[in-house]
Amino acid sequence: MKRNSIPVVEPSMPPYEEYINEIKNLWDNRWLTHTGPKHQALENGLCEFLGVDNISLFANGHLALEIAINGLQLTGEIITTPFTFASTTQAIVRNKLTPVFCDINENDYTIDVTKIEELITENTSAILPVHVYGNICDVHKIEEIANKYNLKVIYDAAHAFGIKLGNTPVGNFGDVSMFSFHATKVFHTVEGGGLTYQDPKYKDIFAKIRQFGMEGQESVPIVGTNAKMTEIHAAMGLCNLRHITEEIAKRGLAMNRYRELLTGVKGIRLCEVQENVTPNYSYFPVLFNKDEFGKDRDEVADLLAKNNIFARKYFYPLTNGFSAYKDMFQIQETHIAKKIADNILTLPLYSDLSLEEVEQICKVILE
Ligand SMILES: *Cc1c(COP(=O)(O)O)cnc(C)c1O
């Protein structure tokens, strides 16, 4: 398939017949939402694929994160990073808590663990780091700090589907990890999200918050919302899960071609490959240094757009620059995150991106 333009992301789709076949019995059983058989089957499939003991599914990743913060009864301040999608910080603020912004490290753009402790106050209740672009945070150091100060840890693992550190699947770190199953993510249910956790007691709390705070039909013991995953969405997940290994492998081929063509180019810096990590090839961020490369990030993005190739300034702007927060709380400056956000461009990457398209993109950048 030759396209007229190359988008930055493109959802994976299962074969049409497979999806139609998967949803057919909904016309018989009329069980469309509310932890139906497909929801349950998807929970089981995801526990197995993600190598976790517990998972809860939600309407989307953002609500899952809001519910994780709510369900763990966090209070006061949460230490997080501003180099992320709006969702991470908004989930904290929507819970009426204060985000405290920690800087990131220059190699893999995850939280700089040497700067966490100086941000801890008596009001800190948790750390909410991001496995950004599928790079795993320094989970061991974070665990050590959390234990020392008695803090909870929630990971934004929206980018980290299927990743492992050594033999440990990423969803096993911290108290809770949030995965996004949005259409543009490595694995998707169109819209959807999941929380994985070690302590099974959270299952019941998350289920109640997800269902209006209700317990059965007549008892409402806690405040809740509506964040259920439908059977139509779970069906998409069941189909996509059957093809996930192959989809990730195809992304890997495209990423390797990018790396071959762009490694060592003066003024271009690629994200460091983490040792001992099984990757999912979710994103391909590139850092441009105008002094050495001759063009800055915005100029490269414009040039690509002129050639009908759409890259994304992901993540720009930083969440600590959002006007929404201007008068809400004190905002910590994060110099490294700012430098990265001002110079980074995420290039197109998805399973159906051909090697020829990767070559075409690199040719535009390098000419
Ligand atoms: C996609 C994403 C989310 C939100 O997930 P949705 O499923 O779109 O609500 C949160 N954090 C990060 C880092 C993301 O990329």
Side-chain angles (χ1 to χ4, degrees):
M1 182 184 62
K2 182 103 180 114
R3 349 166 183 250
N4 298 324
S5 74
I6 302 180
V8 64
V9 287
E10 184 189 77
S12 300
M13 294 295 264
Y16 175 74
E17 297 297 337
E18 183 180 339
Y19 183 66
I20 296 304
N21 207 35
E22 186 65 52
I23 61 173
K24 220 172 217 153
N25 75 338
L26 297 179
W27 271 257
D28 300 325
N29 72 7
R30 307 281 168 123
W31 194 345
L32 299 184
T33 185
H34 210 312
T35 53
K38 292 184 197 301
H39 178 287
Q40 292 163 35
L42 185 60
E43 276 192 354
N44 294 339
L46 285 171
C47 275
E48 191 172 328
F49 188 83
L50 293 174
V52 295
D53 291 335
N54 305 292
I55 192 166
S56 298
L57 303 181
F58 299 87
N60 57 63
H62 178 78
L63 280 172
L65 191 56
E66 279 195 20
I67 289 170
I69 294 169
N70 183 203
L72 267 60
Q73 299 185 314
L74 302 183
T75 56
E77 299 167 6
I78 299 187
I79 296 173
T80 187
T81 56
F83 189 68
T84 184
F85 186 54
S87 171
T88 320
T89 314
Q90 292 284 45
I92 296 170
V93 179
R94 291 265 301 163
N95 273 285
K96 302 206 159 36
L97 304 180
T98 305
V100 173
F101 297 103
C102 185
D103 212 344
I104 58 174
N105 75 68
E106 277 198 86
N107 303 321
D108 60 20
Y109 316 139
T110 61
I111 194 165
D112 183 342
V113 292
T114 66
K115 294 179 182 159
I116 295 176
E117 285 194 77
E118 65 202 52
L119 296 170
I120 295 174
T121 72
E122 58 187 10
N123 297 321
T124 309
S125 64
I127 312 173
L128 203 175
V130 185
H131 297 306
V132 66
Y133 305 129
N135 290 332
I136 300 190
C137 300
D138 187 343
V139 288
H140 299 305
K141 184 71 196 173
I142 291 167
E143 185 176 352
E144 191 186 307
I145 296 170
N147 287 342
K148 182 168 164 193
Y149 293 92
N150 195 22
L151 306 175
K152 293 274 194 266
V153 178
I154 298 178
Y155 283 106
D156 182 332
H159 292 181
F161 190 87
I163 287 179
K164 286 184 194 159
L165 176 61
N167 291 322
T168 311
V170 70
N172 293 296
F173 297 113
D175 294 279
V176 179
S177 295
M178 180 279 287
F179 293 87
S180 165
F181 309 144
H182 182 258
T184 57
K185 301 297 203 294
V186 168
F187 164 82
H188 78 88
T189 60
V190 185
E191 290 270 4
L195 295 176
T196 63
Y197 39 94
Q198 306 268 11
D199 190 337
K201 77 170 179 224
Y202 291 133
K203 181 117 203 158
D204 183 53
I205 299 166
F206 294 153
K208 284 198 190 100
I209 303 176
R210 182 177 65 193
Q211 170 64 8
F212 312 101
M214 295 171 80
E215 185 175 64
Q217 304 217 346
E218 297 182 1
S219 161
V220 185
I222 57 169
V223 174
T225 183
N226 179 5
K228 299 189 295 293
M229 178 181 279
T230 77
E231 291 291 278
I232 296 273
H233 292 89
M236 181 59 95
L238 287 172
C239 294
N240 281 333
L241 198 53
R242 290 184 199 119
H243 303 278
I244 187 69
T245 305
E246 176 196 330
E247 293 289 298
I248 290 176
K250 281 160 74 184
R251 284 173 169 272
L253 295 178
M255 186 180 293
N256 289 340
R257 192 75 189 113
Y258 269 130
R259 285 197 175 274
E260 280 165 19
L261 294 169
L262 297 179
T263 297
V265 175
K266 204 167 181 258
I268 285 186
R269 224 186 78 202
L270 307 182
C271 201
E272 213 169 70
V273 178
Q274 291 185 310
E275 269 174 50
N276 203 22
V277 168
T278 313
N280 67 359
Y281 311 107
S282 47
Y283 296 92
F284 192 68
V286 178
L287 208 60
F288 291 93
N289 176 337
K290 179 163 183 154
D291 294 339
E292 293 178 4
F293 187 68
K295 287 193 185 68
D296 67 22
R297 183 269 313 271
D298 292 353
E299 290 166 335
V300 176
D302 290 345
L303 179 70
L304 287 167
K306 279 202 194 84
N307 287 274
N308 284 321
I309 297 163
F310 299 95
R312 187 168 167 201
K313 298 172 197 175
Y314 194 66
F315 297 100
Y316 173 88
L318 296 174
T319 70
N320 57 0
F322 288 178
S323 58
Y325 306 148
K326 206 162 38 94
D327 301 317
M328 288 184 81
F329 34 76
Q330 192 194 338
I331 290 179
Q332 297 72 27
E333 284 191 37
T334 48
H335 298 287
I336 291 171
K338 174 145 181 28
K339 192 174 89 184
I340 305 292
D342 286 343
N343 293 293
I344 205 149
L345 194 63
T346 303
L347 300 183
L349 184 63
Y350 27 93
S351 57
D352 281 340
L353 186 72
S354 69
L355 298 188
E356 292 72 34
E357 286 169 324
V358 173
E359 285 153 18
Q360 187 189 335
I361 295 163
C362 292
K363 202 169 147 200
V364 171
I365 294 172
L366 296 176
E367 263 175 10

